[in-house]
């Protein structure tokens, strides 16, 4: 299911995968080229796309309709996950994403680069859930460098 160095990291890190599978928020893992390596059950529920539909495809090629809150389309270089990858810093952005049924949903997208321990990532996400006021409308994007 997951391939390559980055995919091997997710597949080989059972704790991280188990935590992401159980998280009540949409979690996904991308390569820097936007290829989706992992898409959790909460992301399936939030956006309506199954893991099978997303994994192995570039998210920018899927009809996710990512846009800023002013409705301006988010182009690849401005994607929060890619900004996090380029800067090495977590990026949080309120944005719209399009569900499979065509409806846009306002959510808070939290993106980070995996170089930290899984427990650090979980603590970061748990704090964001507590602080955000977006319960049920959170998407957590992770760019996996394979480093």
């Amino acid at each position: 299911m997951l391939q390559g160095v980055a995919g091997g990291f997710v597949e080989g890190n059972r704790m991280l995968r188990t935590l992401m599978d159980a998280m009540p928020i949409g979690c996904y893992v991308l390569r820097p080229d936007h290829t989706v390596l992992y898409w959790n059950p909460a992301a399936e529920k939030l956006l309506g796309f199954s893991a099978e539909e997303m994994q192995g495809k570039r998210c920018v090629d899927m009809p996710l309709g990512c846009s800023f809150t002013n409705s301006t389309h988010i182009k690849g270089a401005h994607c929060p996950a890619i900004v996090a990858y380029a800067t090495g810093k977590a990026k949080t952005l309120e944005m719209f994403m399009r569900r499979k049924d065509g409806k846009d949903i306002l959510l808070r997208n939290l993106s980070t680069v995996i170089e930290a321990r899984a427990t650090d990532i979980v603590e970061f996400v748990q704090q964001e859930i507590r602080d955000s006021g977006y319960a049920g409308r959170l998407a957590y994007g992770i760019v996996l460098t394979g480093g």
Side-chain angles (χ1 to χ4, degrees):
M1 182 185 285
L2 301 176
Q3 302 171 13
V5 174
F9 178 86
V10 174
E11 192 67 37
N13 192 328
R14 288 184 189 192
M15 182 175 125
L16 178 60
R17 175 128 192 184
T18 300
L19 290 169
M20 289 179 12
D21 280 346
M23 285 218 180
I25 61 173
C27 295
Y28 54 92
V29 176
L30 304 175
R31 285 193 182 121
D33 70 356
H34 297 270
T35 300
V36 177
L37 298 172
Y38 170 80
W39 189 264
N40 81 341
E44 290 180 336
K45 183 176 178 185
L46 180 67
L47 295 170
F49 294 95
S50 70
E52 291 76 28
E53 290 174 285
M54 295 302 297
Q55 288 174 178
K57 296 184 177 84
R58 291 175 6 109
C59 61
V60 295
D61 298 332
M62 298 299 290
L64 294 172
C66 297
S67 62
F68 294 108
T69 55
N70 68 3
S71 298
T72 303
H73 176 71
I74 298 175
K75 300 206 186 287
H78 298 286
C79 165
I82 301 310
V83 171
Y85 173 69
T87 63
K89 297 179 183 175
K91 174 75 175 165
T92 301
L93 177 69
E94 291 180 2
M95 60 183 281
F96 287 101
M97 288 180 81
R98 186 158 299 127
R99 294 178 37 82
K100 187 175 181 177
D101 65 11
K103 295 179 183 175
D104 288 344
I105 181 172
L106 178 64
L107 51 79
R108 185 172 187 162
N109 189 304
L110 317 168
S111 298
T112 192
V113 176
I114 291 185
E115 290 179 1
R117 298 184 330 256
T119 53
D120 294 336
I121 295 164
V122 171
E123 288 169 12
F124 171 77
V125 172
Q126 288 173 338
Q127 186 63 45
E128 285 289 338
I129 291 169
R130 288 190 293 271
D131 294 347
S132 73
Y134 274 76
R137 292 184 294 138
L138 283 172
Y140 186 56
I142 298 170
V143 178
L144 198 56
T145 63

